[in-house]
Amino acid sequence: MNDRYVIGLDIGTTSTKAVLFHYDGAVIGELEVEYPILRPQADWAEQDPDEIVNASKQAIRLLMERTSVSPSAVTAVGISSAMHSIICLNEDKQPLSNAIIWADTRSSEQAAQLRLSLGSQFMKRTGTPFHPMTPFCKLTWMKQKKYPPFIEASSFASIKEYLCLLWFGEHVVDYATASSYGMFDIDACVWDVEALQLLQLSSEQFGKPVPPTYTLYGMSAALADELGLLPSTPFVVGATDGPLANLGVGATGEGDTVITIGTSGAIRQLSYRPMVDEHQRTFCYRVDDHLFVSGGATNNGGIVLHWLQKLFAINGLEKNASFTPSYDSLLRLAEQSPAGANGVLFLPYLNGERAPIWDGAARGSFVGLGMSHHQPDMIRAALEGTIFSLYHVGQTLREMSGRPTRLFANGGFSRSRLWLQIAADMFNQELLLPKSHQSAAWGAAWYSLYALGEVPSLAAIKNSVPMTNSILPVTEHSLVYEKNFTFYEKLATSLPMLRK
């Protein structure tokens, strides 16, 4: 097996990553290509779908060039992608619109309307709370506003579906991506009839739902040459980044829970039964014929640190005074503040919020600031606030499935020892860490190996996840966070003036 490799292609919010793995999970090489989020109007968040497809091509090609691995040694490519994107396509499958992504909140009014008119039965079928992140709410906005690309569209696709259409000519959608639309029946694995009727659309205008092991063949010689792969290289559709990140750290057992923070953040569990929250605080998506993922996402993860970077920048107020602090310098400052940030709490709703409050109009706030507080307290409070938001979701998961059996961490925040310690302390539980933070890519790669019969099971990935030292909670810190969460939870639900 040592001379055979697999690629995980992870299409994210701000970049696409191509990662080359040994079968044992060791990372041989990785390549990241970034792209911008476009904001043509307030509350809009879009991306150029062709730019993302080209970034995916570039990432794979450069990865192959820099690792010097023979194309014949690559067994397959597995695909991971961020959730909730939607593109209007014409009859020739060309984009009529940009990809409208999860961070877009233009359909807040429609989400509220749908919540009132459809209620809990619809949520039980789809497993997805009503929120402007979902394509269902976005499509409802398009229909109500007579959005020209919607009126002219022949079909609709997520960014992953669009890539598969261009590269293989098949319009298919994996179960997890379909679930993230907010209009997919997770029991029957079909597009929801009531949703289609409301939109006055047909199921033929959306991708054919397929399991994550669905394999695409028949890449053109020209495309294969662009990618540096053989035309016979199979691509496996995989799933969304959430469940794949859980798989990629080996969190496949009942009660295994994963905290992920990248641009946004999430806390999730895989299970062999649907765990739909009747109070609509969390989501439940189907992953494959037997597996579901439950949990909740926050809009505000690493993007909070980026906001702090801009907040504390000095922009030429005096000659030669321009200065933007690095992420590392911000984190070092935060270490100067104790657990609890000297009494400062931060609601991290800079970009609205998903779980568990599902309020696209929510806004963030520092609470408890006084003359004695300084930058370290504000930075530490912001780091703690992002973990509080995930702990808030975790309390709902705990109601449904009990205390996490094992707690894992992955994503960009796993590079910060301080942020990881805050998470371990707040959950008051040992935090397990994989060596690679490319867990979604490894999950996608493993699904491709499983689809081709190269590995015996999904659960077998546990033996192929290189781990590093875990983080143990500090009891005194845990007690501080237990007390502070009581105030955080009250603030999160009782500050209407923070709604825009």
Side-chain angles (χ1 to χ4, degrees):
M1 284 189 179
N2 289 338
D3 59 348
R4 301 174 70 191
Y5 307 92
V6 61
I7 291 175
L9 181 67
D10 185 12
I11 305 169
T13 300
T14 56
S15 67
T16 287
K17 307 177 192 73
V19 189
L20 186 71
F21 297 95
H22 270 304
Y23 279 29
D24 64 4
V27 174
I28 306 305
E30 55 186 273
L31 202 292
E32 181 174 8
V33 179
E34 297 181 347
Y35 33 75
I37 296 175
L38 309 173
R39 296 189 179 274
Q41 296 187 37
D43 301 326
W44 291 29
E46 302 180 349
Q47 290 179 311
D48 181 338
D50 288 317
E51 187 171 12
I52 295 176
V53 170
N54 288 333
S56 301
K57 288 181 183 179
Q58 185 180 1
I60 294 175
R61 183 182 70 253
L62 292 175
L63 175 71
M64 294 299 293
E65 289 176 357
R66 295 182 185 182
T67 57
S68 299
V69 167
S70 169
S72 61
V74 177
T75 301
V77 179
I79 311 174
S80 166
S81 66
M83 295 181 281
H84 312 303
S85 61
I86 187 73
I87 310 164
C88 300
L89 302 175
N90 65 17
E91 291 183 357
D92 297 322
K93 306 302 183 184
Q94 295 301 306
L96 294 166
S97 70
N98 282 327
I100 303 174
I101 67 171
W102 61 267
D104 189 287
T105 58
R106 73 183 75 177
S107 60
S108 293
E109 180 181 340
Q110 287 70 30
Q113 292 170 352
L114 290 169
R115 189 179 299 113
L116 291 173
S117 62
L118 294 181
S120 60
Q121 289 304 313
F122 185 90
M123 161 55 177
K124 287 179 181 178
R125 291 199 306 273
T126 66
T128 308
F130 299 100
H131 189 271
M133 69 179 181
T134 63
F136 179 44
C137 292
K138 293 175 171 69
L139 289 165
T140 302
W141 176 90
M142 293 181 192
K143 181 176 182 295
Q144 289 184 4
K145 299 297 183 181
K146 296 181 172 55
Y147 183 56
F150 175 84
I151 295 170
E152 298 170 24
S154 175
S155 60
F156 305 88
S158 67
I159 187 60
K160 186 205 284 193
E161 295 167 67
Y162 179 61
L163 181 146
C164 292
L165 263 170
L166 288 183
W167 290 7
F168 296 95
E170 290 194 54
H171 193 178
V172 294
V173 57
D174 67 84
Y175 291 157
T177 298
S179 293
S180 76
Y181 270 68
M183 50 181 285
F184 184 71
D185 187 320
I186 61 174
D187 288 326
C189 293
V190 297
W191 295 109
D192 187 79
V193 173
E194 186 177 8
L196 293 172
Q197 289 174 343
L198 287 171
L199 294 171
Q200 296 182 310
L201 298 172
S202 68
S203 59
E204 288 74 24
Q205 292 176 276
F206 296 88
K208 174 187 174 182
V210 296
T213 50
Y214 188 87
T215 306
L216 298 160
Y217 294 95
M219 180 172 31
S220 71
L223 175 60
D225 186 59
E226 281 191 82
L227 299 178
L229 298 173
L230 297 179
S232 58
T233 305
F235 277 63
V236 176
V237 296
T240 56
D241 52 4
L244 290 177
N246 278 49
L247 176 63
V249 299
T252 59
E254 289 285 343
D256 284 352
T257 303
V258 178
I259 302 169
T260 300
I261 298 180
T263 304
S264 56
I267 179 169
R268 300 170 304 268
Q269 292 179 355
L270 294 175
S271 67
Y272 290 93
R273 61 182 176 88
M275 295 194 302
V276 179
D277 176 31
E278 62 181 15
H279 301 295
Q280 302 186 43
R281 294 167 295 181
T282 56
F283 60 70
C284 179
Y285 301 149
R286 181 176 279 276
V287 181
D288 63 23
D289 291 335
H290 309 288
L291 198 61
F292 297 83
V293 62
S294 300
T298 171
N299 283 353
N300 306 283
I303 201 169
V304 172
L305 198 59
H306 180 64
W307 172 77
L308 286 171
Q309 187 182 45
K310 294 189 295 182
L311 181 67
F312 293 135
I314 299 172
N315 296 310
L317 295 178
E318 299 176 4
K319 187 178 180 180
N320 300 322
S322 295
F323 170 74
T324 299
S326 67
Y327 292 148
D328 286 343
S329 65
L330 291 174
L331 292 167
R332 284 195 299 271
L333 278 172
E335 291 174 353
Q336 298 175 20
S337 181
N342 285 316
V344 179
L345 282 173
F346 179 68
L347 297 182
Y349 309 145
L350 301 175
N351 199 32
E353 187 54 296
R354 286 182 274 178
I357 65 172
W358 301 102
D359 188 346
R363 287 296 176 263
S365 178
F366 283 101
V367 178
L369 282 173
M371 292 293 291
S372 62
H373 292 115
H374 301 284
Q375 284 185 349
D377 300 316
M378 296 179 70
I379 299 167
R380 172 124 194 175
L383 299 178
E384 292 176 347
T386 60
I387 305 298
F388 271 132
S389 69
L390 295 176
Y391 183 77
H392 200 179
V393 181
Q395 293 299 93
T396 299
L397 289 178
R398 189 166 180 167
E399 287 178 24
M400 295 189 289
S401 61
R403 178 180 169 84
T405 306
R406 295 186 298 169
L407 189 65
F408 297 79
N410 67 357
F413 98 118
S414 60
R415 300 169 184 170
S416 167
R417 176 78 187 199
L418 172 63
W419 221 345
L420 291 170
Q421 187 66 58
I422 290 170
D425 293 342
M426 199 171 293
F427 282 81
N428 194 19
Q429 194 162 349
E430 180 183 14
L431 195 59
L432 305 173
L433 307 172
K435 284 186 178 179
S436 170
H437 62 275
Q438 303 292 10
S439 301
W442 181 222
W446 190 265
Y447 246 123
S448 71
L449 294 177
Y450 178 60
L452 298 172
E454 294 285 316
V455 296
S457 67
L458 293 180
I461 196 174
K462 292 180 181 179
N463 301 318
S464 298
V465 181
M467 303 296 288
T468 187
N469 293 334
S470 61
I471 307 289
L472 296 175
V474 177
T475 302
E476 304 93 287
H477 297 174
S478 298
L479 292 173
V480 170
Y481 291 135
E482 181 180 357
K483 177 181 177 181
N484 286 3
F485 179 70
T486 302
F487 299 112
Y488 176 92
E489 189 174 23
K490 290 178 180 177
L491 289 168
T493 55
S494 64
L495 286 180
M497 72 286 291
L498 296 181
R499 304 319 187 240
K500 64 175 181 177

